[in-house]
Amino acid sequence: MKGQSDRVVRQIVIVGGGTAGWMTAAALARKLSGTRANIRLIESAEIGTVGVGEATLPQIREFNRMLDIDEADLMAQTSATIKLGIEFRDWGKAGDHYVHPFGVHGEPIGPVDFHHHWVRENARGRAEDFGSYCLAIEAARHQRFDLPPENPASLLHAYTYAFQFDASLYAAFLADYATARGVDRIEGKVIAVDSDGETGFIQSVMLESGQQISGELFIDCSGFRGLLIEQEMATGFADWSDYLPCNRAFAVPCKIADPVGPFTRSTARSAGWQWRIPLQHRIGNGHVYCDRYISDQDAVDLLMKNLEGDPIAEPKQLFFRTGKREKLWNRNCVAIGLSGGFLEPLESTSIDLIQSGILNLIALFPEKQCAASDVDEYNRLMDLEYDRVRDFLMLHYVLNQRDEPFWRDMREMEWPTSLGEKIEAFKRRGIVPQYDHGLFQPASWLSVFIGQNLLPETCDPRVDAISVADRTNQLEHIRRTIDNRVGQMSGHLAFLEKYRATYSGAAEDAA
Ligand SMILES: Cc1cc2nc3c(=O)[nH]c(=O)nc-3n(C[C@H](O)[C@H](O)[C@H](O)COP(=O)(O)OP(=O)(O)OC[C@H]3O[C@@H](n4cnc5c(N)ncnc54)[C@H](O)[C@@H]3O)c2cc1C
């Protein structure tokens, strides 16, 4: 019988050195330090990385904290700005705008959540725009930012933040981190994979140079191609393009003309949407679209016509298919990053899904034989995460009131039951999904429901326990508290300077 030490995974091979590969390498180097694990990462300069990815979610700060990374240093090296949320323009109908914030709206009044009171007051024509009761939104609108208090005096002062940065600089930062902690970086192109005929476990990969690299656990971070998980293991792909049909994008950076606000912007276009992500030294832009409704030429023209400053590179076209592998962990191979799946960048979820993949892998770190119970649990957790992201992304599309054929079809498509139930619960009684943990808590759903003009038919009957006058006063108090707080905050750029987080790299393409 084998002793425990024979069962421990010691040889870990990561294929791919994009954001996914280096996040994985850095996290494993940190969390497996002190064990005798040998981590090797293979990347190919000839193949390169996908080269896009700029907006993140607040959870990335926990990841950086886990690695003991100094935030100001990271921001300076990745040209990062602060992100307090995403502004959606023209998504309900042309002229509409709202922000999905990294913070909450108002605070409960009596026993009832704030939004029920807002709905009641709004029906009387007495409420301000829903966003004006949220500190993160008001700060974003006024281009202001200070670090959130650790223990806010009230919910009205609570918010969090993420970054807008250059993901390839983030990968480079993490590559230095990981190699300094013993990760072995191997430059070369994988041209063959050798698997055990009986178990199907990957045993080694071969590089173009002829070098053979063997391992016990393989992490596929090879991007859309899914070199190990699909090309070798034929795991299968759950295609979600009926639900999220956008399948192409053009991306282009431009010079800064408008203020570098602490938020990402998404503007609906005739057959998709356009992003604007301000970094310290340039603006990232892209047009995500569905090729069944607009030609490539029209798509790129629309993007270039809507840049705020001169382009500083040629537009780059990207092709993708929304969906995920049937299993993100198959035998001794775990797919993390684009090799595992992609759900379009509307809510900046890709890097977060990489993070979840890594954290779940660390929590369920296997023995050599990769017990089915660990593999199944990993796949269950990741499926849950992907399903929730898919539903939340779809929500933006299905709740539109626009006229173009793309938008009409999006409205009329068949929804997954899980999404239909959530929309129905809100529409009838203002009930919002509440998860124990994970992405997209009630504040997120509320901002899209209300921002895209879906209001509940009835609300919590307990709102009537509060007099009309008390409710009006409370709403006014909340708004004034938020206004006052925003008035005391630093300007966003002044904050970056004060925090010594200003870009320290070469900025020859800056405005
Ligand atoms: C249009 C668009 C916009 C996006 N915007 C955002 C965003 O705002 N926010 C966000 O979180 N995410 C965004 N993403 C997703 C984000 O870009 C990716 O999640 C992230 O960059 C991780 O990519 P990756 O590391 O999985 O793959 P890649 O960057 O493609 O890296 C793959 C790696 O594998 C290596 N490789 C491949 N084949 C071989 C081989 N045979 N041998 C050796 N090495 C090999 C490559 O050299 C490379 O190092 C966006 C994606 C797209 C398409």
Side-chain angles (χ1 to χ4, degrees), residues 61 64 88 93 95 159 240 317 350 412 423 480 506:
R61 293 177 47 232
N64 294 334
F88 290 90
K93 53 188 178 332
Y159 60 97
W240 286 348
Q317 191 172 21
S350 282
E412 287 163 11
I423 293 178
R480 258 188 285 115

Side-chain angles (χ1 to χ4, degrees), residues 15-22 41-57 83 165 167-168 186-191 207 220-225 227 231 248-251 264 273 275 277 286-288 318-320 336-342 344-354:
V15 175
T19 314
W22 283 114
L41 182 146
I42 306 165
E43 61 184 336
S44 159
E46 186 191 322
I47 293 176
T49 64
V50 68
V52 279
E54 291 161 335
T56 64
L57 294 177
K83 177 180 170 192
F165 63 18
S168 27
I186 301 168
E187 165 63 36
K189 189 163 146 191
V190 173
I191 52 159
L207 305 187
D220 187 347
C221 297
S222 64
F224 284 127
R225 54 182 60 74
L227 190 68
Q231 291 183 13
R248 293 184 182 196
F250 278 101
T264 293
W273 57 278
W275 79 74
I277 306 178
H287 181 193
V288 174
L318 297 123
F319 302 85
F320 54 85
I336 294 182
L338 297 173
S339 63
F342 183 59
E344 78 151 84
L346 183 60
E347 283 280 355
S348 328
T349 42
S350 282
I351 292 175
D352 190 76
L353 287 167
I354 293 173

Side-chain angles (χ1 to χ4, degrees), residues 48-106:
T49 64
V50 68
V52 279
E54 291 161 335
T56 64
L57 294 177
Q59 285 78 355
I60 196 169
R61 293 177 47 232
E62 289 160 32
F63 185 80
N64 294 334
R65 218 174 289 137
M66 180 179 92
L67 302 186
D68 259 340
I69 286 173
D70 177 74
E71 199 165 86
D73 182 30
L74 172 82
M75 292 177 70
Q77 293 202 38
T78 57
S79 185
T81 57
I82 295 290
K83 177 180 170 192
L84 285 168
I86 305 178
E87 182 195 39
F88 290 90
R89 287 192 176 178
D90 303 333
W91 273 80
K93 53 188 178 332
D96 285 354
H97 58 93
Y98 68 94
V99 177
H100 167 200
F102 298 147
V104 295
H105 297 83

